[in-house]
Amino acid sequence: MQYTWKDIEQHIAACTLCSLSRTRNRPVMGRGNCQADLMLIAEAPGGQEDQQGMPFVGRSGEILDRLLQDCGLDREEIYITNILKCHPPGNRDPKQEEKEACFPYLKYETFLLRPKMIVCLGRVAAQRIISPDFKITKQHGVFTCRKNCVLTAIYHPSAILRDPSKYEIVKKDFREIVDKLHFLQSSHE
Ligand code: URA
């Protein structure tokens, strides 16, 4: 059976596959353009996201919007989601069993979207999506390809909140991402 976006949303809304379902306020499904060529995958919803039920609405979201704007994109052109759909209390790292329980939702989102490029935001997403030994400090901005999809990772926006000097590094990576995206779009037309 082929799930639709609505089906996935309903499954996530009712999900009790891990203990985060008992502490969350609202699950956070991915958002954006369901026909986007570019998919961003981050770690897990933060406190603001948990309150509002939408990804990247807090301070990390402000950084992300600035980055997109500086690189000539906006949220309407991308799809953004998280490895976990529920907020881990205290913003702790996701546990292995939480990542595994939640992974099918991300798979369905990816299957329906069929993005040309996936950008992981931060170490946790990069280690789950690209490679378990991914080193964000050394490998950010490096492109690889899997099943006709280009993969890369950049620092998480919250890393910029902790160290604003990282913004220029992330902007440089993201400009290259946008160039690559345009190239992929033009060569698939
Ligand atoms: N940080 C994340 O990793 N995801 C969000 O949705 C918000 C903050």
Side-chain angles (χ1 to χ4, degrees), residues 59-60 63 66 136-137 140 155-171:
R59 289 177 68 214
S60 292
I63 302 272
R66 184 176 144 209
I136 193 78
T137 46
H140 65 85
Y155 285 113
H156 192 286
S158 64
I160 300 171
L161 286 172
R162 289 191 296 274
D163 173 8
S165 73
K166 283 208 167 73
Y167 186 76
E168 289 305 316
I169 302 172
V170 176
K171 192 164 81 179

Side-chain angles (χ1 to χ4, degrees), residues 28 42-46 49 54-58 60-61 80-82 121 156 158:
V28 179
E43 178 176 330
E49 290 75 20
M54 288 190 283
F56 282 94
V57 290
S60 292
I80 182 154
T81 192
N82 285 293
L121 304 187
H156 192 286
S158 64

Side-chain angles (χ1 to χ4, degrees), residues 13-33:
C15 183
T16 55
L17 288 176
C18 82
S19 61
L20 294 179
S21 61
R22 295 196 290 274
T23 51
R24 71 172 179 233
N25 282 298
R26 298 176 66 174
V28 179
M29 162 96 183
R31 279 253 167 161
N33 185 332

Side-chain angles (χ1 to χ4, degrees), residues 42-101:
E43 178 176 330
Q48 291 283 331
E49 290 75 20
D50 177 61
Q51 293 294 326
Q52 296 188 43
M54 288 190 283
F56 282 94
V57 290
R59 289 177 68 214
S60 292
E62 286 170 22
I63 302 272
L64 180 66
D65 286 336
R66 184 176 144 209
L67 181 67
L68 292 173
Q69 195 184 15
D70 280 353
C71 298
L73 286 181
D74 64 46
R75 289 216 198 186
E76 301 310 309
E77 296 169 81
I78 63 167
Y79 184 84
I80 182 154
T81 192
N82 285 293
I83 303 271
L84 295 194
K85 308 307 186 214
C86 294
H87 172 57
N91 280 333
R92 61 159 169 75
D93 275 3
K95 293 182 184 166
Q96 191 59 25
E97 65 265 26
E98 294 162 352
K99 287 189 277 191
E100 293 321 313

